[in-house]
Amino acid sequence: MDNELADVITVGTWMIANPDFVERLKLEAPLNTPDKNTIYTGGAEGYTDYPFLKE
């Protein structure tokens, strides 16, 4: 069954690691690499500590 959920998960992970994801795509700027050790662990680390492009 093709429910397209994998596409949503992949983009979701990149959006967590890149709070300005759409702007980075528009500028063809490098993306932050998601830290799979901190995503989905329940704490703030891995959700709110990724830098914006202009930082």
Side-chain angles (χ1 to χ4, degrees):
M1 182 168 130
D2 183 17
N3 56 16
E4 299 181 13
L5 289 178
D7 293 337
V8 173
I9 293 167
T10 301
V11 172
T13 302
W14 284 103
M15 290 188 82
I16 289 170
N18 296 277
D20 52 359
F21 183 73
V22 174
E23 186 67 19
R24 286 174 186 258
L25 292 181
K26 287 180 185 177
L27 297 173
E28 297 183 13
L31 297 174
N32 296 322
T33 303
D35 182 354
K36 295 180 182 185
N37 294 314
T38 59
I39 293 179
Y40 309 121
T41 59
E45 185 179 12
Y47 283 101
T48 60
D49 58 344
Y50 287 102
F52 283 82
L53 185 58
K54 299 186 189 232
E55 287 185 7

